[in-house]
C-alpha cells in the first residue's frame, strides 16, 4: 500500500522511521557505507529484472577488473601467517628438522585457508562479522567469556609482534636501540594506521601490499644467498616425515598458522566491499572472488614461510647450535654464516613482518571490541584503547625480559601456549554460525564441508592440546599451583563442551535420546 498523503497520518510514519534509523545507527558495524569500496555492477537496475527471478541468482561472468576490486582483504588476512611468531616457528623448524616439515607447512597453510574462507563466507553472506554474531547468538555470560578469550589471544599475539618489531629495530640499529625503545617506536604504528585509514580502504591495502612485497623480496634474497637444495626442498613438500625429535617443531608449525584473532578479522574485512545481499548471484560472485584472492594471498605467504624455513635448514640443520636459535639471535647466526649483508636483509624482512602484523592486530582489536561490546567510539579512541591493551604489557615484558635471550624464548613459549588455548573459542562459534540456516540462509555449508571443518577443528585442537599438556608437564610444579591449573583446565574444558553442545543443539540431542528411549521401549 502506498504511503498516505495526509500529513497527520504521515507524521507518525516518519517518526517511526526516524526512530528505527536512529536505533540502527547505534549498532556497531565494521565499515560505514561511505567507507566501502563500490564494485561496478552491484545493485545496478539493469542487472535486476523483477519479472525474471533467475536474474537474482545468476552469477555474472568472471571479470579481471572485479577481481582487482575485491583484492585486498585476503592479503591483510595473510599477514597473520607471516608475523614474527610464525617466522620464529619457521626458523626453528628449519634449524632443528631441516626440510622434513615442509609438507606439514603446506597442509597447515591449506587448513588455514579453509578456515579463513569459512570466516569470509560468514561475513559476506550475513553482512556481519564473527564478533557481532557472537554477541547476538550467545547468552551474555558466554559472549563475555568469548570476548575475554579473544582479547587475551589478541594481546598474546600482539606482544610477539611488537617484540619482533623491536628486535628488528635493534638489529638494524646495530644494537643502539634497546628493546624497550623499539617497543615505544612500534607503538606509534597505531597513529600511522589511523592516518592511513583516513585515506580509504584501498590506500591502506596498498600499504600492506608494499609490506608483504618487502618481506617477499628480503626473504627471497636470503634464499638466493643460502642456495638450499631444490631436490630436498621438493621432497620435503611431497613426502611426509615425522619423528619423535621433531614433534615439538611440528606442533609449532601447525599452531602458528591458525590464529584466533585472524578469524574475527577476516569475517570483518570482507565487508569493506559494497555487496547487494538481496541479489544472491552477487553474493556468490563475491564469495568466488574472495576465494581466489585469499588463495593467492596464502600461496604467497606459504612461499615466504618456505624461504625462511629452507634458509635455516640449509645453514644450521645438524649443527651444534641448531637447538639454540631463536628470533632474538637469528640475525647474529645468519651474519656468522652468510655475512653482514644478510643480517640487515633479515632485519628489514622482520621489521616489515612486525609492523604489518601489529597494525592488523590493532585493526582486529577494533572489530573484536566493537563487535562484542557494541561500542560506538571514535576511531582514534578505539584504536588507542586497543593498542594500549597490548603496548602496556609489552613494555613491562620488554623491561623484564630484555636481560637475556633465554628469557625471551621462554616468554615466547608461554605466549604460544596462551594463543593455542584460545583457538576453540574462535573456531567452534565460527563452525556453528556458518552451519546455521537461520543466519546463513542458502549459503550455509553442507554436510561435506561441515565434516571437513570439524575434522580440521578437532585436529588443530588435539595438536594444540598436546602442546599445552607437554608444556604444563614441564612448567607446573607444586601442589598449590598444580591444583589451580587443574581447576582452570576443568573450567576450560567445560566451556568447550558447552560451545560444542550449543553448536549441535540441545534440542537435537534431546530428540536423539528420546528416539532411543522409544526404540528401546518398543524392542
Amino acid at each position: 500500500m502506498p504511503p498516505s498523503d495526509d500529513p497527520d497520518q504521515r507524521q507518525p510514519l516518519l517518526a517511526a522511521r526516524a526512530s528505527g534509523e536512529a536505533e540502527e545507527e547505534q549498532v556497531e558495524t565494521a565499515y560505514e557505507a561511505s567507507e566501502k569500496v563500490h564494485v561496478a555492477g552491484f545493485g545496478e537496475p539493469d542487472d535486476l529484472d523483477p519479472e525474471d527471478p533467475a536474474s537474482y541468482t545468476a552469477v555474472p561472468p568472471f571479470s579481471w577488473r572485479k577481481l582487482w576490486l575485491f583484492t585486498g582483504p585476503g592479503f591483510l588476512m595473510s599477514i597473520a601467517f607471516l608475523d614474527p611468531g610464525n617466522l620464529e616457528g619457521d626458523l626453528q623448524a628449519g634449524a632443528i628438522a631441516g626440510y622434513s616439515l615442509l609438507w606439514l607447512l603446506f597442509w597447515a597453510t591449506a587448513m588455514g585457508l579453509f578456515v579463513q574462507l569459512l570466516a569470509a563466507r560468514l561475513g559476506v553472506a550475513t553482512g556481519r562479522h564473527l564478533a557481532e554474531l557472537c554477541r547476538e547468538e550467545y547468552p551474555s555470560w558466554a559472549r563475555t567469556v568469548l570476548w575475554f578469550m579473544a582479547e587475551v589471544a589478541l594481546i598474546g599475539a600482539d606482544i610477539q609482534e611488537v617484540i619482533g618489531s623491536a628486535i628488528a629495530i635493534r638489529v638494524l640499529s646495530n644494537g643502539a636501540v634497546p628493546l624497550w625503545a623499539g617497543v615505544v617506536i612500534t607503538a606509534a604504528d597505531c597513529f600511522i594506521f589511523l592516518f592511513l585509514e583516513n585515506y580509504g580502504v584501498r590506500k591502506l591495502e596498498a600499504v600492506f601490499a608494499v609490506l608483504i612485497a618487502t618481506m617477499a623480496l628480503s626473504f627471497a634474497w636470503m634464499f638466493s644467498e643460502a642456495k638450499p637444495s631444490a631436490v630436498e626442498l621438493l621432497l620435503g613438500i611431497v613426502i611426509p616425515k615425522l619423528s619423535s625429535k621433531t614433534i615439538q617443531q611440528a606442533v609449532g608449525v601447525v599452531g602458528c598458522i591458525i590464529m584466533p584473532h585472524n578469524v574475527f578479522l577476516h569475517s570483518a574485512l570482507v565487508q569493506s566491499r559494497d555487496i547487494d545481499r538481496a541479489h544472491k548471484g552477487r553474493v556468490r560472485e563475491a564469495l568466488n572472488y574472495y576465494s581466489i584472492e585469499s588463495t593467492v594471498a596464502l600461496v604467497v605467504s606459504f612461499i615466504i614461510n618456505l624461504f625462511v624455513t629452507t634458509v635455516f635448514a640449509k645453514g644450521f640443520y645438524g649443527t651444534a647450535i641448531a637447538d639454540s636459535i631463536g628470533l632474538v639471535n637469528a640475525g647474529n647466526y645468519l651474519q656468522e654464516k652468510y655475512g653482514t649483508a644478510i643480517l640487515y636483509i633479515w632485519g628489514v624482512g622482520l621489521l616489515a613482518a612486525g609492523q604489518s602484523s601489529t597494525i592488523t592486530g590493532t585493526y582486529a582489536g577494533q572489530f573484536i571490541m566493537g563487535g562484542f561490546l557494541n561500542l560506538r567510539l571514535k576511531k582514534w579512541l578505539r584504536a588507542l584503547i586497543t593498542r594500549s591493551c597490548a603496548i602496556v604489557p609489552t613494555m613491562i615484558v620488554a623491561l623484564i625480559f630484555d636481560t637475556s635471550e633465554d628469557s625471551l624464548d621462554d616468554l615466547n613459549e608461554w605466549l604460544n601456549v596462551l594463543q593455542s588455548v584460545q583457538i576453540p573459542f574462535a573456531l567452534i562459534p565460527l563452525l556453528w554460525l556458518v552451519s546455521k540456516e537461520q543466519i546463513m540462509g542458502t549459503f550455509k555449508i553442507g554436510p561435506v564441508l561441515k565434516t571437513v571443518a570439524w575434522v580440521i577443528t578437532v585436529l588443530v585442537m588435539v595438536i594444540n592440546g598436546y602442546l599445552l599438556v607437554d608444556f604444563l608437564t614441564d612448567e607446573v610444579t607444586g601442589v598449590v599451583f598444580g591444583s589451580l591449573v587443574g581447576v582452570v583446565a576443568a573450567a576450560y574444558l567445560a566451556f568447550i563442551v558447552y560451545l560444542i553442545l550449543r553448536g549441535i543443539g540441545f534440542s537435537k540431542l534431546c530428540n536423539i535420546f528420546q528416539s532411543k528411549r522409544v526404540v528401546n521401549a518398543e524392542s
Side-chain angles (χ1 to χ4, degrees):
M1 178 181 295
S4 172
D5 292 332
D6 186 351
D8 293 334
Q9 295 181 12
R10 199 166 58 225
Q11 192 63 32
L13 292 174
L14 294 174
R17 183 180 300 174
S19 176
E21 289 175 353
E23 184 179 352
E24 184 178 351
E25 287 176 358
Q26 293 175 1
V27 178
E28 169 64 19
T29 57
Y31 295 91
E32 301 294 337
S34 60
E35 297 174 324
K36 295 185 178 183
V37 177
H38 176 69
V39 182
F42 276 73
E44 293 181 359
D46 57 350
D47 287 331
L48 306 177
D49 183 359
E51 297 181 359
D52 182 14
S55 68
Y56 286 83
T57 58
V59 179
F62 178 82
S63 166
W64 287 103
R65 180 174 180 272
K66 282 190 179 180
L67 177 60
W68 170 248
L69 290 173
F70 276 107
T71 298
F75 281 90
L76 266 68
M77 169 272 295
S78 72
I79 295 295
F81 290 69
L82 299 167
D83 68 3
N86 276 279
L87 297 183
E88 181 161 32
D90 293 337
L91 66 88
Q92 289 177 342
I96 297 173
Y99 302 89
S100 65
L101 295 180
L102 294 180
W103 66 274
L104 189 59
L105 175 64
F106 173 81
W107 286 108
T109 304
M111 289 192 297
L113 173 62
F114 184 85
V115 170
Q116 296 302 148
L117 290 180
L118 291 182
R121 188 187 190 98
L122 182 72
V124 171
T126 64
R128 291 169 291 174
H129 57 81
L130 181 57
E132 291 176 312
L133 289 168
C134 286
R135 185 188 74 233
E136 296 173 4
E137 298 296 325
Y138 285 97
S140 58
W141 72 269
R143 65 172 175 258
T144 301
V145 175
L146 287 173
W147 169 66
F148 176 76
M149 293 300 184
E151 291 288 356
V152 168
L154 178 62
I155 291 171
D158 212 5
I159 290 175
Q160 287 182 311
E161 292 155 0
V162 172
I163 291 291
S165 292
I167 291 172
I169 293 172
R170 188 168 69 178
V171 167
L172 294 173
S173 66
N174 285 322
V177 179
L179 201 64
W180 66 266
V183 171
V184 173
I185 295 171
T186 305
D189 65 21
C190 169
F191 302 101
I192 297 173
F193 161 74
L194 292 173
F195 174 77
L196 294 173
E197 199 176 27
N198 289 331
Y199 285 89
V201 173
R202 296 295 279 174
K203 300 292 191 302
L204 183 66
E205 291 169 351
V207 171
F208 281 99
V210 171
L211 292 171
I212 293 173
T214 301
M215 282 185 272
L217 291 174
S218 299
F219 298 136
W221 193 333
M222 290 172 52
F223 182 83
S224 64
E225 290 289 325
K227 297 180 177 62
S229 169
V231 174
E232 290 186 72
L233 189 155
L234 291 174
L235 291 176
I237 295 175
V238 174
I239 301 177
K241 289 182 181 179
L242 192 62
S243 67
S244 58
K245 296 180 180 179
T246 60
I247 188 68
Q248 187 172 357
Q249 284 67 44
V251 170
V253 167
V254 177
C256 287
I257 290 296
I258 298 178
M259 308 289 284
H261 72 275
N262 208 36
V263 178
F264 289 95
L265 176 65
H266 199 198
S267 66
L269 289 174
V270 294
Q271 296 175 45
S272 60
R273 270 55 179 176
D274 187 17
I275 300 170
D276 180 11
R277 289 179 179 81
H279 191 168
K280 292 183 180 179
R282 300 303 185 186
V283 175
R284 198 168 299 280
E285 179 190 38
L287 291 173
N288 292 339
Y289 284 125
Y290 279 133
S291 298
I292 296 171
E293 182 241 3
S294 298
T295 301
V296 172
L298 289 194
V299 167
V300 172
S301 74
F302 169 73
I303 293 172
I304 293 174
N305 285 315
L306 188 73
F307 286 156
V308 176
T309 303
T310 52
V311 165
F312 283 87
K314 171 66 175 179
F316 306 104
Y317 175 59
T319 64
I321 61 173
D323 291 335
S324 61
I325 298 179
L327 199 64
V328 179
N329 56 23
N332 295 330
Y333 285 123
L334 286 171
Q335 183 180 21
E336 294 175 5
K337 186 72 177 181
Y338 299 110
T340 303
I342 204 168
L343 169 67
Y344 294 105
I345 296 169
W346 164 255
V348 169
L350 181 59
L351 183 62
Q355 286 295 313
S356 58
S357 56
T358 52
I359 296 175
T360 53
T362 302
Y363 219 12
Q366 290 194 35
F367 294 134
I368 290 171
M369 182 177 291
F372 274 109
L373 304 183
N374 194 23
L375 293 179
R376 296 285 299 178
L377 299 176
K378 293 182 178 180
K379 287 183 179 180
W380 69 268
L381 180 59
R382 190 166 53 178
L384 186 62
I385 294 173
T386 304
R387 207 80 199 93
S388 300
C389 289
I391 290 299
V392 171
T394 305
M395 280 294 296
I396 297 172
V397 163
L399 292 172
I400 295 175
F401 288 88
D402 196 20
T403 55
S404 69
E405 296 175 359
D406 291 339
S407 60
L408 277 174
D409 289 338
D410 291 340
L411 170 67
N412 191 57
E413 288 184 16
W414 277 97
L415 292 175
N416 284 337
V417 170
L418 181 67
Q419 293 172 75
S420 296
V421 299
Q422 311 301 329
I423 287 178
F425 307 128
L427 291 189
I428 296 176
L430 173 66
L431 297 191
W432 174 52
L433 293 169
V434 84
S435 305
K436 196 172 180 181
E437 188 173 3
Q438 295 91 326
I439 293 174
M440 298 292 292
T442 58
F443 294 100
K444 72 169 186 175
I445 60 174
V448 175
L449 287 181
K450 189 186 298 186
T451 301
V452 174
W454 276 107
V455 168
I456 291 175
T457 300
V458 171
L459 179 62
V460 171
M461 288 170 57
V462 168
I463 290 173
N464 284 281
Y466 172 85
L467 172 65
L468 179 62
V469 171
D470 181 66
F471 179 79
L472 292 179
T473 301
D474 295 334
E475 297 294 331
V476 175
T477 56
V479 177
V480 176
F481 188 37
S483 301
L484 179 62
V485 170
V487 171
V488 172
Y492 172 82
L493 292 174
F495 190 56
I496 291 178
V497 171
Y498 165 78
L499 293 176
I500 293 174
L501 291 178
R502 186 175 180 86
I504 296 173
F506 290 112
S507 59
K508 290 182 180 179
L509 288 177
C510 292
N511 290 337
I512 291 173
F513 289 133
Q514 186 174 3
S515 299
K516 287 184 177 180
R517 291 194 194 100
V518 171
V519 171
N520 292 333
E522 291 178 350
S523 59

